[in-house]
């Protein structure tokens, strides 16, 4: 319900009284009887208003038009007819009648509001702005009129006019945050930096102990390259609150020299060690450096971050987010074992952050710790029962542990929850293909892989695992070899993929090609099964010493097949 309608309903009883009284005048203390024409018009107005209240617009319209036929200068009838037309969506006619009413009574507040309302509905914002300008002149004490004009100035991008309105509004209300922010943003958009900063200073002068306004000024100075001025504001904040985390970090940041990030991190270590300072502010300061480490993998930056984060943990030993941040840095640096410890500590303190669980489970899979994957992912499922990746992780680990029925159960649950996550869905179908192969259900295995390929024909993961299954079933499989070659042609692949491809060539008795792939997998780091496979490939390519070394690594990493020890004994001394 618009403002005019609200006002109309509120003032309708008064309006009806005024209509009745408008036909009686007092002159020299004597009452003058209204003419018969005036009585008729009075009756028609009352009748028309009755239809207006009932929402019978056609009858209301007829009555108002009849009044204007008898009395063309009746402003009340013009106003009511305009409202009637607007209610029927006839905005052109409504505007014509309300403008006529305003010509008859140019200072009538309600008439002006009606015209402004129609202008807004017809998107004639400039006309609406002019009307609100007149309303402000008539009723300068009404805040609503300023607010409406400010809004229209923003919509039409009339920034100079907006500044004028803000000046008038401030004369009424005094300095306020809303007016100042509008002035600041407008001046800044006009490139008038000094005036924009002065607007904030005006707010600071009125509220000298509110440090948020000083932060706003400091931040603005930073964006404009006025670092010395920003430093002044930070120092003002510290004079009010010497322990303010943001200001202390900002002062340290301003003091960075030549972009030396390592030196900067060392310089803020004492701030990170202060338990009184807010941990969230500290972490926000460190996150950009963690992101840069993720992109550039600079060991010196990584070590500097770890040193600072250790200080952070000392200051906040019970904050899960500090350990999660350390886990992120360690994972980026490839220190997976320590990263896993940090993540487990974090989830043990606060298990409500899903991203930490996913990172933990993913690292456990990468390090072939399948029992730990099942343990941790199962804990996470209790907290996040709708996360398909967790079911996939358990299913994949059950498959690696040769518990195929359990794997199928978890993988099928994961499929239900993957939704539109195509990448995750492909991973689930791939593992289903491997599980069905182990169960001897070739048709279901091939169907799972073909489904995955229908989602992404170029999936390296699908092609390498599908080719592996084919290579084990068909001694001379052109399809398996073609898939393996296609994967290798895509360039650098992970240790897992290289291991799968090596096994494809091994099964197809192409041992030299198998050796090329397993060399890469061993260099990048593989699991116990991969080391055993490497030994089998090296022995067939004439490198007995290397083969024995790989078999021993397989045993050291938990490979339990008794045949491995027999192979080592058989080939020692060759």
């Amino acid at each position: 319900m618009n403002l005019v309608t609200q006002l109309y309903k509120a003032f309708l009883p008064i309006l009806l009284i005024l209509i009745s009284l408008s036909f009686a005048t007092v002159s020299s203390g004597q009452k003058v009887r209204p003419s018969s024409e005036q009585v008729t018009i009075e009756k028609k107005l009352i009748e028309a208003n009755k239809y207006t209240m009932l929402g019978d617009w056609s009858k209301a319209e007829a009555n108002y038009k009849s009044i204007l036929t008898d009395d063309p200068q009746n402003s009340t009838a013009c106003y009511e007819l305009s409202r009637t037309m607007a209610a029927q969506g006839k905005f052109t006619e409504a505007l014509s009648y309300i403008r006529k009413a305003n010509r008859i009574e140019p200072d009538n507040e309600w008439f002006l509001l009606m015209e402004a309302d129609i202008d807004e509905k017809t998107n004639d914002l400039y006309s609406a702005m002019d009307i609100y300008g007149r309303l402000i002149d008539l009723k300068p004490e009404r805040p609503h009129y300023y607010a409406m004009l400010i809004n229209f100035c923003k919509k039409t991008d009339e920034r100079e006019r907006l500044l004028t309105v803000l000046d008038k509004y401030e004369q009424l209300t005094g300095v306020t945050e809303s007016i100042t922010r509008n002035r600041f943003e407008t001046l800044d958009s006009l490139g008038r930096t000094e005036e924009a900063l002065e607007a904030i200073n005006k707010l600071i002068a009125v509220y000298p102990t509110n440090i948020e306004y000083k932060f706003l000024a400091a931040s603005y100075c930073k964006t404009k390259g006025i670092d010395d001025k920003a430093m002044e504001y930070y120092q003002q904040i510290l004079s009010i609150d010497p322990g303010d985390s943001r200001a202390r970090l900002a002062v340290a940041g301003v003091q960075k020299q030549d972009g030396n990030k390592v030196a900067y991190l060392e310089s803020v270590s004492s701030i990170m060690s202060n338990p009184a300072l807010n941990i969230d502010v500290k972490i926000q300061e460190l996150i950009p450096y963690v992101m840069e480490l993720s992109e550039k993998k600079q060991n010196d930056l990584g070590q500097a971050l770890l040193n600072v984060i250790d200080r952070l943990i000392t200051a906040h030993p019970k904050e899960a987010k500090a350990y999660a941040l350390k886990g992120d840095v360690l994972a980026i640096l490839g220190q997976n074992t320590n990263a896993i410890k940090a993540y487990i500590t974090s989830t043990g303190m606060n298990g409500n952050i899903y991203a930490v669980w996913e990172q933990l489970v993913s690292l456990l899979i990468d390090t072939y710790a399948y029992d730990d994957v099942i343990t941790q992912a199962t804990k996470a499922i209790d907290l996040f029962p709708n996360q398909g990746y967790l079911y996939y992780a358990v299913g994949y680990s059950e498959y690696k542990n040769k518990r195929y029925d359990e794997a199928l159960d978890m993988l099928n649950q994961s499929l239900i929850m993957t939704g539109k996550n195509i990448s995750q869905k492909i991973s689930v179908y791939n593992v289903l293909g491997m599980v069905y192969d182990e169960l001897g259900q070739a048709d279901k295995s091939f169907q799972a892989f073909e489904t995955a390929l229908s989602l992404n024909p170029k999936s390296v993961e699908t092609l390498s695992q599908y080719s592996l299954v084919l290579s084990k079933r068909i001694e001379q499989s052109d399809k398996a070899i073609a898939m393996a070659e296609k994967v290798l042609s895509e360039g650098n692949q992970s240790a897992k993929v290289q291991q799968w491809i090596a096994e494809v060539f091994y099964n197809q008795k192409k041992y030299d090609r198998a050796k090329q792939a397993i060399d890469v997998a061993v260099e990048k780091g593989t699991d116990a099964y991969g080391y055993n496979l490497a030994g089998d490939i090296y022995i067939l390519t004439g490198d007995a010493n290397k083969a024995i070394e790989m078999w021993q690594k397989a045993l050291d990493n938990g490979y339990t097949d008794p045949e491995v020890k027999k192979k080592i004994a058989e080939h020692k001394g060759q």
Side-chain angles (χ1 to χ4, degrees), residues 536-563:
D536 293 345
I537 292 172
Y538 288 136
I539 199 68
L540 290 171
T541 54
D543 193 340
N545 290 334
K546 190 73 171 175
I548 292 169
E549 179 189 345
M550 292 297 105
W551 286 325
Q552 187 58 54
K553 278 195 170 184
L555 292 174
D556 294 342
N557 282 274
Y559 204 68
T560 57
D561 189 339
E563 290 297 317

Side-chain angles (χ1 to χ4, degrees), residues 81 177 303 357 531 548 559:
L81 189 52
E177 180 175 343
Q303 191 55 54
W357 284 105
Y531 287 121
I548 292 169
Y559 204 68

Side-chain angles (χ1 to χ4, degrees), residues 222 227 231 249-268 285 289:
K222 288 287 292 176
D227 287 354
M231 179 68 81
L249 286 169
V251 168
V254 172
Q255 293 170 339
K256 291 180 197 177
Q257 295 181 359
D258 302 324
N260 189 333
K261 298 175 180 62
V262 172
Y264 166 66
L265 290 171
E266 291 174 354
S267 74
V268 299
E285 182 69 16
Y289 299 97

Side-chain angles (χ1 to χ4, degrees), residues 49-306:
N49 274 279
K50 179 184 73 173
Y51 289 124
T52 297
M53 293 186 68
L54 293 172
D56 190 340
W57 304 115
S58 60
K59 288 183 179 178
E61 178 183 337
N63 277 274
Y64 290 130
K65 285 184 175 179
S66 175
I67 292 167
L68 289 176
T69 300
D70 297 336
D71 182 7
Q73 296 301 304
N74 193 303
S75 60
T76 302
C78 290
Y79 168 78
E80 291 297 335
L81 189 52
S82 173
R83 201 174 75 84
T84 301
M85 292 298 185
Q88 300 175 80
K90 301 175 181 178
F91 294 115
T92 301
E93 294 173 73
L95 194 59
S96 174
Y97 283 112
I98 196 61
R99 285 179 175 170
K100 182 176 180 180
N102 278 321
R103 286 194 297 272
I104 298 167
E105 292 187 51
D107 293 337
N108 187 305
E109 185 178 1
W110 316 118
F111 294 178
L112 290 168
L113 278 169
M114 185 68 190
E115 182 174 346
D117 185 62
I118 296 172
D119 286 334
E120 184 179 3
K121 283 186 169 64
T122 56
N123 206 34
D124 188 354
L125 300 186
Y126 286 96
S127 292
M129 288 162 66
D130 291 340
I131 296 295
Y132 276 107
R134 288 172 61 187
L135 284 165
I136 288 171
D137 291 338
L138 281 171
K139 302 287 183 179
E141 73 281 3
R142 300 276 175 88
H144 174 72
Y145 297 157
Y146 295 93
M148 292 297 293
L149 186 49
I150 288 168
N151 181 48
F152 290 140
C153 286
K154 287 181 177 180
K155 286 184 177 180
T156 56
D157 200 29
E158 286 288 326
R159 287 175 282 183
E160 293 292 352
R161 187 170 185 174
L162 174 57
L163 291 172
T164 301
V165 177
L166 292 171
D167 288 338
K168 284 186 177 181
Y169 195 15
E170 193 171 76
Q171 291 173 13
L172 173 68
T173 64
V175 177
T176 68
E177 180 175 343
S178 175
I179 292 173
T180 302
R181 281 186 177 272
N182 274 309
R183 181 183 285 112
F184 161 71
E185 291 169 2
T186 305
L187 289 166
D188 181 51
S189 70
L190 290 168
R192 290 152 63 174
T193 302
E194 290 185 10
E195 291 176 78
L197 186 57
E198 187 54 40
I200 305 175
N201 285 333
K202 197 172 182 180
L203 201 58
I204 290 172
V206 176
Y207 304 100
T209 60
N210 189 326
I211 62 174
E212 293 304 320
Y213 299 144
K214 292 180 172 64
F215 269 117
L216 176 62
S219 176
Y220 183 61
C221 289
K222 288 287 292 176
T223 62
K224 298 300 180 181
I226 318 172
D227 287 354
D228 55 341
K229 191 68 177 174
M231 179 68 81
E232 290 180 19
Y233 288 112
Y234 291 131
Q235 294 294 357
Q236 289 175 27
I237 293 166
L238 291 174
S239 69
I240 297 170
D241 182 4
D244 187 276
S245 311
R246 292 176 295 169
R248 293 189 65 178
L249 286 169
V251 168
V254 172
Q255 293 170 339
K256 291 180 197 177
Q257 295 181 359
D258 302 324
N260 189 333
K261 298 175 180 62
V262 172
Y264 166 66
L265 290 171
E266 291 174 354
S267 74
V268 299
S269 60
S270 62
I271 298 174
M272 297 294 171
S273 300
N274 186 347
L277 304 185
N278 186 286
I279 186 173
D280 292 327
V281 174
K282 297 175 185 178
I283 288 177
Q284 287 173 7
E285 182 69 16
L286 296 177
I287 284 175
Y289 299 97
V290 177
M291 294 176 67
E292 182 170 339
L293 178 66
S294 178
E295 294 174 4
K296 298 181 179 178
K297 307 292 191 299
Q298 297 169 326
N299 286 329
D300 58 343
L301 177 59
Q303 191 55 54
L305 276 167
L306 286 177

